[in-house]
Amino acid sequence: MENILKKKQIKSKRRHLSRTGYLYDLKMNYNLYLMILPVALGFIIFHYLPMYGIIIAFKDYDLIKGYMSSPWVGLKHFISFAKDPYFPRVVRNTFILGFYSLLWGFWPPIVLALLLNEVKDGYFKRITQTISYFPHFISVVVIVGMMMEMLGPKGFVNNLLNAWGKDSIAFFNDAKYFRMLYILSGIWQGIGWSSILYLATLSGVDQELYEAAYIDGANRFQRVWHISLPSIMPTITILLILNTANIIDVGFEKVYLMSNPSLYETADVIQTYVYRRGIINKNFSYATAIGLMNSIIAFLLLYVANFISRKKGETSLW
Amino acid sequence: MLRKANFIAIIFFLSATLILSMTSCKRSGDASIGGDKTAEGVPIIEYLLPGDPGKYMSEDLWSIQEWGKRTGVQFKINSPPRDAFQDKLAIIISSGDLPDMINFYQDNSTYKDYGPQLFVPLNDYLNNGQLPELKRWLDKYPDIELYMENPDDNKLYGFPFVSDFEYISRAWYVRNDLLRKAGLDADNIETLDDVKAAMLALQKAKGGGFITSSRLGYNYFAGVTGAYFGAHNGVMYDQKHPNGNKEFVYGALKPEYKKWVEFMRWMYVNKLLHSNFATMSQQELFAGYADGSFPLMIEQHGLHDKLNPEHDSNREIKYIYPPKIDGIQFRQTKSYHVNIGYRWPVVINQKSKHIDDIVRAMNFVYSDEGIEMFSLGAEGLTFERDDKTPSGYRLDYVQSVWTRKEDGTFPEGMKMLEDYGCNSWWLMGVSNESDRFGFKEYKEGENEEALFIPNIINSNIELGLVVETDPFINFNKEEKDTIAEISTPLGTYESENVLKFIYGQRPMSEWDDFINGLKKLKCEELAKIYNDKLK
Amino acid sequence: MKYHPSLGSKAFDVANYIILSLLVASIAYPFIYMFSVSVSDAREVALFNVKFLPKGLQWEAYKTVFNQRETVRSYWNSILYTSVGTCLAVLFSSFAAYPLSRKKFKARSIFIIIFTITMFFNGGIIPGFLNIQRLGLINTLWAIVLPPAFAMRNIILIRTNFQQVPESLIESAYLDGANDWYILFKIVLPLSKAILATIAVFASVGLWNSYFPPLLYLTSSEKAPLTIILRRILVANEVLQSGQDMFMDSRSNSIAYQGKVMSIRMATIFVTIGPIVLIYPFVQKYFVKGVMIGSLKG
């Protein structure tokens, strides 16, 4: 009884103190500041010091004139990109690919982690989990190569189709298949690796909770739904917020390898388009400007996602 | 406990500062620019030299050591992997820490753009007799300087890689043995209809299926297939048609372009052209040539061997001449006698302390002695001279046609020319006929086979199917930006729609729509930019 | 408490095993194919005759990879960079995650935003290089190891887990007079072994596969890690191919050579993934379901 009262007193005292400003906080929690100081220094030295490079997005960067003396051109590069006839299409494709990748790719690792978690510890669990992340290590080139072989005119899939009396499908020549293939291969590659994080969190769940639920009559599925899932909810939320920012970040390499011009309608994304421009005319400033635009959009997406999550009372970044 | 925590904090900060101070002591590695001299006073020259993967460069290579010995210098080679070359170059230039010499990878503009500020102009050395060997090549092929001169001061800021032969790039090859089965012969192909008949015959002879494909994506495909039709992506100089206007024009606007698209479409629809031709990998294509799935090759010169890599005597490879399309045979342009789109040029750092030594070393590269050394090695070490062979050499001491055993392997431990640092276009300054067309792949008595490609090129020239190179245009930065701004959407539109026409996803009746679309995207303005620079 | 699985539970298990097995099969099949390519006869590989099982056994590809002098040294370099880098990454991330997980830490939001910005904005390779150069870190292991040690993503993930440590546990520690260092090292970290192991895995894999930083920052070839050596061995055919590379070369004309190239490419995958697969079982034991320290009762 006494302890609880004492705890309450100390808690309220703490809260009262923290209202009196940063300097007081510094004195009270100097250890915390001490702890974070070296990390903050590291960030400053390695990530903030080089950040001035961004200014060339507003300049016409010349390698010899350098960052300081290259002429300012304001928003020229941004405007040039915005005026491009394909700007709407390219941005649209990027967002659609990114959004659907998130929509379809976000939950399979969670499901996998939950399923794996239900398996008794032992060889099957270990081997399955280990094998599941192998695809993460294959380079994109190999994956696209394998996909093209499997889906080619003489590939596995078309052989099946022919056996069932259907015509072969030219998967890589038709814009409507591209998104599906892109997303499916992304899921295949990432499901095991992304599930590691969830598995780790799941392993920290108190076993007694499961036992208590069992006693209360919950069946297997309910135990997963009401205990396992909520226990990784904070992680899920945070990752969802972070991945929302990545919608704009559709990777260049895979799209480039998978596509040919006939697929541009759905497959031409910001990065591939800018790449083609870069072949004609190597322009550091232009590429940096587009990159900056991407970063700003990503950050905005993050901000919105975080805002929504905070409003709903869930875990959030800040 | 508090004391313990403080203790930890202090220890941590001490170690942190220790780390930081340790690291700030170290200076930036071995980037000692301007080079020093060895103990004997021989200048050490730093050379940024990318190589080819698997054939990378280092100063241990025999050829580089020999080069140094014969010219009185010593080389220190920095060889970055090619995929980082652009980044490394940008870092080097912006930090001002350039090595003595640089050889460029896939960059034929930096030497010109930054020439006056960073690199040594060679003109004085050419005029005062320090580069006699290079001078004789420049005199023999005046187009080299035209191509490489800086437009502002007409000076030459880089060493060229000279192509000492006549070359046209596009060629169609066919497995004539399969044509013969149908009673046809490549020699009898004259018109486009003959080509059609031959293609269908090939398909039949191999029992159905595709007969050809491509690699390296759509643009490459368009380049190699369009040549015989006089069709060209993007802007082209109108001289491939005998009555061409000799000015720059947007390729897609010409009627021959439409003919090319129609023919490709016909091929695709009749399943002669592989459905994945726009994305097929090089390996898959070459495998198809090797196992006979693709009896027709539409490519560059020099690849005909891939149709018969195991030298099966039943396979006969023949060249197909450009067919008459509505009575017209389209011409190809000669290549420039300088090849710096992929490797080279080599530049000298203005601030180097060893400019004269480098000039001397580079002069050697263009001498007959140097050409021989870099391409073939040395007498007694890698080859013996033998004027009965097509190349004039016999490569008795390295892996070659003379040392290959019956079963296709080589004697245990026998090195390749590349192991000596030879046979690399990164080091050779001149590629002659013998080198470019691989005369050293043929033994004595095989002159006909050795001259296979040069003969074809020469007969094309004799038949009037070859015209001089397109005029070369130097663009400044603003022009390049404008060109990039127009041609990116234009190229996107063109390639996207042409492929749709070929695939049959868009009917040819919409061709005029397509042309209007091109004009809306400023294709004519783009051609005008080029034409304005002609005057 | 005896646990009697119900019928539904058993059905769940069976379905689970089937789904997981299907997944493994869909992954194992391509991997077996890739392994077969790496050990099949070069000619068969070049003609795309290898469909699933190897045709003709040869270890040339692996021999080529391991025969290079530099391979052994580069393995050691990679191990060095990976272990040092992982320790630093876990250490620094924890040091940042803990304060950011404490609600009483007023400057929390500020730091979070400062750190998060670095996830999206960076100055490019040239300023990055110049920065490392000015710090005198060119050609040292610190250039490889320090920048990734400060990664907000890791900090966020660890912080999320730290936040799940029951507040009451920490409060009672405060009551007993402990300061934040003690709480971090003696309470929070031991309870977070799983997430720390995970971050260690992420960091190690990132460092093990790190290619561009060593390329740009390491100038002497004795310091090159495995990734660089492997790329050098492999005849690169990736992303940017160019037709201008073709010239008369008896070696590249042979089919066997093409096949050898493909085998080597597959071999490098297994060479890279090998150590990870060997180490990972040791990490997995942290993922075994555990019981929380029963200090909550009462």
Side-chain angles (χ1 to χ4, degrees):
Chain A
M1 206 30 149
E2 263 181 33
N3 272 344
I4 300 175
L5 269 173
K6 217 174 170 189
K7 269 195 226 166
K8 282 220 170 105
Q9 278 178 337
I10 292 175
K11 262 201 185 148
S12 62
K13 192 174 179 190
R14 283 254 159 95
R15 239 180 267 127
H16 177 73
L17 282 171
S18 69
R19 279 204 210 107
T20 59
Y22 283 105
L23 239 56
Y24 209 87
D25 189 48
L26 185 59
K27 192 172 169 200
M28 283 300 299
N29 296 317
Y30 70 94
N31 272 324
L32 291 180
Y33 281 92
L34 223 56
M35 219 183 268
I36 206 172
L37 184 64
V39 185
L41 275 176
F43 269 89
I44 294 176
I45 296 177
F46 290 105
H47 297 306
Y48 273 98
L49 283 187
M51 234 188 245
Y52 65 84
I54 291 186
I55 54 172
I56 66 169
F58 304 98
K59 290 184 167 210
D60 254 339
Y61 179 63
D62 178 277
L63 277 177
I64 300 205
K65 292 193 188 136
Y67 285 87
M68 295 306 140
S69 316
S70 292
W72 291 97
V73 294
L75 297 174
K76 166 174 141 186
H77 303 298
F78 297 95
I79 295 177
S80 167
F81 184 55
K83 283 202 306 189
D84 194 298
Y86 285 109
F87 170 75
R89 182 170 86 173
V90 144
V91 170
R92 185 199 74 202
N93 284 342
T94 308
F95 270 104
I96 293 184
L97 263 184
F99 178 72
Y100 280 112
S101 292
L102 185 63
L103 187 68
W104 293 105
F106 189 72
W107 50 264
I110 300 175
V111 171
L112 178 63
L114 290 172
L115 288 180
L116 269 172
N117 193 46
E118 291 299 310
V119 176
K120 266 211 305 269
D121 294 327
Y123 278 124
F124 181 77
K125 180 174 183 175
R126 281 205 175 182
I127 293 179
T128 308
Q129 209 243 314
T130 305
I131 293 187
S132 73
Y133 67 67
F134 278 4
H136 174 82
F137 294 95
I138 319 181
S139 83
V140 163
V141 180
V142 175
I143 291 194
V144 175
M146 285 202 290
M147 259 204 298
M148 290 196 163
E149 217 192 305
M150 274 208 317
L151 298 163
K154 283 189 289 185
F156 178 68
V157 175
N158 273 322
N159 284 345
L160 273 179
L161 282 172
N162 289 336
W164 288 336
K166 300 222 167 110
D167 271 335
S168 294
I169 302 181
F171 284 99
F172 288 97
N173 294 352
D174 206 329
K176 61 178 190 265
Y177 291 110
F178 174 78
R179 280 186 195 133
M180 183 179 77
L181 291 174
Y182 180 86
I183 294 172
L184 279 177
S185 55
I187 296 177
W188 182 82
Q189 195 177 17
I191 190 173
W193 185 253
S194 307
S195 71
I196 292 182
L197 184 62
Y198 299 117
L199 263 177
T201 314
L202 276 171
S203 70
V205 176
D206 192 353
Q207 287 303 98
E208 294 188 2
L209 289 172
Y210 289 107
E211 288 181 15
Y214 175 70
I215 296 172
D216 285 346
N219 68 25
R220 202 65 178 282
F221 184 76
Q222 285 172 324
R223 293 203 293 275
V224 167
W225 186 260
H226 290 290
I227 300 176
S228 304
L229 197 51
S231 66
I232 53 173
M233 230 359 143
T235 309
I236 292 181
T237 319
I238 291 288
L239 276 181
L240 191 57
I241 296 176
L242 286 177
N243 284 350
T244 306
N246 284 344
I247 287 183
I248 189 99
D249 214 7
V250 174
F252 155 78
E253 217 175 330
K254 188 153 138 193
V255 177
Y256 180 78
L257 288 168
M258 275 177 74
S259 62
N260 64 63
S262 71
L263 303 180
Y264 281 164
E265 190 61 39
T266 50
D268 208 12
V269 293
I270 296 178
Q271 304 277 29
T272 48
Y273 193 77
V274 170
Y275 169 76
R276 284 207 299 283
R277 174 144 169 174
I279 293 189
I280 302 175
N281 177 26
K282 292 191 232 302
N283 194 335
F284 262 105
S285 284
Y286 185 76
T288 308
I290 306 300
L292 180 62
M293 184 196 79
N294 272 7
S295 297
I296 294 177
I297 295 181
F299 194 74
L300 284 174
L301 286 169
L302 179 83
Y303 193 85
V304 170
N306 191 55
F307 184 75
I308 295 178
S309 184
R310 201 173 46 178
K311 276 293 163 189
K312 287 180 109 189
E314 304 269 353
T315 26
S316 61
L317 233 42
W318 61 79
Chain B
M1 248 177 266
L2 277 162
R3 261 182 243 137
K4 192 173 174 194
N6 275 341
F7 188 66
I8 297 174
I10 294 174
I11 293 291
F12 186 89
F13 276 116
L14 282 178
S15 35
T17 40
L18 203 61
I19 292 177
L20 277 174
S21 55
M22 257 182 2
T23 53
S24 53
C25 277
K26 287 207 176 90
R27 277 306 306 150
S28 45
D30 26 314
S32 46
I33 305 306
D36 317 294
K37 302 195 170 199
T38 62
E40 299 86 28
V42 175
I44 299 182
I45 299 186
E46 296 212 344
Y47 189 6
L48 180 67
L49 175 64
D52 291 320
K55 291 190 211 174
Y56 60 93
M57 299 287 139
S58 87
E59 54 251 21
D60 306 328
L61 289 174
W62 173 86
S63 65
I64 295 184
Q65 302 230 339
E66 190 66 19
W67 185 20
K69 272 191 218 145
R70 298 197 202 180
T71 53
V73 297
Q74 195 174 45
F75 287 98
K76 190 166 179 312
I77 307 280
N78 177 6
S79 188
R82 305 190 305 188
D83 49 3
F85 183 77
Q86 319 280 9
D87 294 326
K88 272 229 152 128
L89 187 66
I91 289 175
I92 285 175
I93 293 185
S94 57
S95 67
D97 265 349
L98 282 82
D100 293 301
M101 293 165 70
I102 304 178
N103 192 327
F104 290 94
Y105 167 64
Q106 274 196 335
D107 181 347
N108 61 1
S109 56
T110 302
Y111 81 99
K112 235 189 249 184
D113 295 337
Y114 295 120
Q117 292 133 307
L118 294 180
F119 309 125
V120 171
L122 303 177
N123 303 66
D124 293 334
Y125 297 92
L126 286 165
N127 293 332
N128 69 15
Q130 277 179 271
L131 281 173
E133 300 294 345
L134 175 58
K135 189 162 196 319
R136 70 180 169 120
W137 292 111
L138 295 179
D139 288 339
K140 183 173 180 187
Y141 297 120
D143 62 340
I144 298 182
E145 273 190 278
L146 267 171
Y147 190 87
M148 286 182 71
E149 265 174 0
N150 182 308
D152 298 323
D153 58 12
N154 285 349
K155 289 203 183 159
L156 181 64
Y157 284 98
F159 288 94
F161 177 46
V162 179
S163 300
D164 181 25
F165 48 82
E166 299 306 323
Y167 191 68
I168 53 173
S169 54
R170 309 299 179 209
W172 292 29
Y173 292 106
V174 71
R175 288 272 304 280
N176 210 35
D177 50 304
L178 289 175
L179 276 183
R180 279 186 200 263
K181 271 200 211 168
L184 298 173
D185 193 301
D187 292 333
N188 299 336
I189 296 180
E190 297 223 344
T191 67
L192 200 57
D193 288 323
D194 293 336
V195 172
K196 278 192 179 177
M199 285 186 175
L200 293 168
L202 279 174
Q203 192 178 44
K204 212 152 154 229
K206 70 177 274 268
F210 307 108
I211 62 163
T212 191
S213 184
S214 194
R215 61 183 172 123
L216 304 180
Y218 167 76
N219 280 330
Y220 185 81
F221 157 79
V224 290
T225 52
Y228 277 17
F229 292 84
H232 201 287
N233 274 7
V235 172
M236 76 177 207
Y237 189 70
D238 191 5
Q239 57 171 345
K240 308 235 175 30
H241 191 292
N243 302 332
N245 291 330
K246 288 228 185 337
E247 60 173 8
F248 284 100
V249 71
Y250 200 75
L253 298 177
K254 302 226 84 184
E256 37 259 37
Y257 192 86
K258 186 177 181 192
K259 259 232 127 56
W260 165 67
V261 174
E262 283 170 340
F263 194 81
M264 291 299 116
R265 181 195 179 99
W266 174 83
M267 281 179 72
Y268 185 84
V269 164
N270 282 294
K271 301 229 187 295
L272 295 161
L273 182 60
H274 196 282
S275 28
N276 277 352
F277 72 87
T279 46
M280 186 175 281
S281 75
Q282 187 164 290
Q283 286 124 338
E284 204 183 327
L285 181 66
F286 289 173
Y289 292 141
D291 67 14
S293 331
F294 300 140
L296 176 66
M297 173 191 274
I298 305 180
E299 267 285 352
Q300 315 173 17
H301 276 296
L303 295 179
H304 63 280
D305 235 38
K306 302 234 180 280
L307 278 171
N308 190 5
E310 300 181 310
H311 305 285
D312 179 351
S313 53
N314 292 325
R315 297 193 184 187
E316 189 194 350
I317 314 293
K318 272 222 172 145
Y319 170 76
I320 298 180
Y321 283 83
K324 285 207 175 75
I325 304 176
D326 293 334
I328 308 283
Q329 265 177 316
F330 287 93
R331 296 108 63 108
Q332 288 193 56
T333 49
K334 276 193 208 179
S335 297
Y336 282 93
H337 293 102
V338 58
N339 183 357
I340 57 172
Y342 197 78
R343 304 171 179 82
W344 293 69
V346 171
V347 293
I348 308 180
N349 178 7
Q350 261 175 16
K351 303 213 181 95
S352 167
K353 299 194 187 119
H354 306 296
I355 297 182
D356 287 306
D357 299 300
I358 300 176
V359 166
R360 189 177 65 239
M362 288 307 292
N363 190 49
F364 171 77
V365 170
Y366 294 98
S367 65
D368 289 332
E369 191 192 341
I371 294 173
E372 184 187 77
M373 192 270 279
F374 279 118
S375 56
L376 295 161
E379 199 168 359
L381 178 69
T382 53
F383 65 77
E384 292 293 343
R385 292 181 208 282
D386 184 342
D387 42 5
K388 288 193 249 72
T389 63
S391 57
Y393 298 92
R394 232 180 33 242
L395 297 169
D396 290 332
Y397 310 111
V398 290
Q399 292 186 17
S400 68
V401 286
W402 290 274
T403 58
R404 190 186 291 141
K405 296 193 285 193
E406 279 296 317
D407 55 1
T409 62
F410 297 97
E412 187 71 29
M414 177 160 274
K415 294 199 198 169
M416 297 187 284
L417 268 181
E418 286 77 10
D419 295 324
Y420 288 94
C422 298
N423 200 32
S424 169
W425 280 359
W426 288 102
L427 294 169
M428 288 191 255
V430 180
S431 174
N432 51 29
E433 238 184 17
S434 173
D435 168 73
R436 181 62 177 86
F437 303 120
F439 287 1
K440 64 184 186 290
E441 302 297 315
Y442 300 97
K443 298 185 179 167
E444 65 176 82
E446 291 180 349
N447 283 41
E448 268 312 298
E449 291 88 332
L451 289 170
F452 187 68
I453 301 175
N455 281 344
I456 292 175
I457 296 179
N458 285 329
S459 78
N460 268 282
I461 296 178
E462 275 158 33
L463 290 169
L465 294 173
V466 177
V467 288
E468 288 301 315
T469 56
D470 293 339
F472 185 74
I473 313 271
N474 275 307
F475 292 107
N476 64 33
K477 198 165 192 315
E478 287 79 37
E479 286 161 340
K480 281 193 201 169
D481 279 343
T482 315
I483 290 179
E485 205 175 86
I486 298 182
S487 49
T488 311
L490 197 50
T492 303
Y493 181 79
E494 182 184 323
S495 51
E496 182 179 349
N497 283 287
V498 166
L499 263 187
K500 288 198 175 157
F501 282 120
I502 296 181
Y503 287 153
Q505 288 167 2
R506 228 187 143 175
M508 287 307 289
S509 52
E510 291 181 13
W511 185 258
D512 290 326
D513 259 349
F514 166 63
I515 298 289
N516 286 334
L518 286 173
K519 291 189 180 162
K520 265 201 229 136
L521 286 172
K522 304 201 208 162
C523 66
E524 287 162 326
E525 284 92 325
L526 187 62
K528 185 169 187 304
I529 297 179
Y530 280 75
N531 281 321
D532 286 342
K533 295 280 284 201
L534 264 185
K535 298 156 190 151
Chain C
M1 179 76 211
K2 251 316 187 78
Y3 180 59
H4 300 285
S6 68
L7 194 60
S9 186
K10 288 210 186 101
F12 184 98
D13 274 328
V14 168
N16 201 7
Y17 275 93
I18 292 180
I19 296 176
L20 290 176
S21 302
L22 281 175
L23 178 72
V24 168
S26 81
I27 292 176
Y29 167 75
F31 265 86
I32 296 177
Y33 163 74
M34 292 192 302
F35 186 73
S36 299
V37 171
S38 72
V39 294
S40 289
D41 173 69
R43 188 174 177 278
E44 300 293 329
V45 169
L47 295 177
F48 284 80
N49 286 340
V50 180
K51 296 293 172 199
F52 184 60
L53 290 171
K55 283 202 162 79
L57 211 57
Q58 52 83 9
W59 296 96
E60 284 311 310
Y62 289 98
K63 271 197 220 160
T64 311
V65 172
F66 285 109
N67 260 352
Q68 314 280 321
R69 261 177 319 145
E70 302 107 335
T71 306
V72 176
R73 191 171 45 209
S74 71
Y75 245 103
W76 166 245
N77 285 335
S78 283
I79 294 177
L80 180 67
Y81 300 151
T82 304
S83 30
V84 172
T86 304
C87 292
L88 287 179
V90 173
L91 192 72
F92 284 130
S93 302
S94 307
F95 274 28
Y98 181 69
L100 295 180
S101 66
R102 297 297 105 219
K103 287 206 175 63
K104 60 177 181 166
F105 188 54
K106 239 203 147 202
R108 214 163 81 131
S109 294
I110 300 177
F111 277 108
I112 290 182
I113 296 191
I114 293 180
F115 291 168
T116 308
I117 287 181
T118 65
M119 280 203 291
F120 298 100
F121 300 95
N122 75 77
I125 39 154
I126 297 182
F129 180 87
L130 293 176
N131 192 37
I132 300 277
Q133 193 182 49
R134 264 181 233 130
L135 290 168
L137 297 180
I138 295 289
N139 210 28
T140 65
L141 102 132
W142 304 109
I144 311 292
V145 142
L146 282 175
F150 302 98
M152 184 51 173
R153 207 183 178 98
N154 293 340
I155 297 176
I156 292 180
L157 293 174
I158 297 185
R159 181 194 85 138
T160 310
N161 268 62
F162 279 7
Q163 284 171 324
Q164 299 195 289
V165 171
E167 194 67 27
S168 40
L169 211 57
I170 301 188
E171 286 296 344
S172 51
Y174 276 132
L175 276 179
D176 290 342
N179 70 9
D180 286 301
W181 293 96
Y182 182 84
I183 297 179
L184 173 65
F185 281 104
K186 293 281 192 202
I187 300 179
V188 175
L189 283 182
L191 286 176
S192 309
K193 291 212 177 99
I195 191 64
L196 293 177
T198 310
I199 298 300
V201 167
F202 290 164
S204 332
V205 168
L207 284 158
W208 184 259
N209 289 335
S210 168
Y211 178 63
F212 265 99
L215 204 56
L216 295 175
Y217 300 139
L218 296 179
T219 49
S220 47
S221 53
E222 301 97 53
K223 304 207 174 174
L226 188 63
T227 42
I228 303 237
I229 303 297
L230 287 182
R231 281 270 211 155
R232 243 195 246 162
I233 294 171
L234 184 64
V235 177
N237 238 331
E238 306 190 342
V239 191
L240 305 169
Q241 297 168 338
S242 168
Q244 296 154 0
D245 210 1
M246 289 284 118
F247 67 112
M248 300 305 289
D249 183 336
S250 60
R251 186 174 68 160
S252 71
N253 262 346
S254 80
I255 324 183
Y257 183 71
Q258 305 274 1
K260 189 171 177 210
V261 163
M262 288 197 270
S263 293
I264 293 182
R265 172 180 294 149
M266 296 302 164
T268 54
I269 294 180
F270 289 97
V271 166
T272 306
I273 201 181
I276 299 170
V277 172
L278 289 174
I279 306 274
Y280 193 72
F282 297 102
V283 170
Q284 265 181 326
K285 69 173 194 235
Y286 289 107
F287 294 178
V288 167
K289 289 182 252 208
V291 179
M292 282 260 275
I293 300 174
S295 49
L296 294 177
K297 314 272 160 78

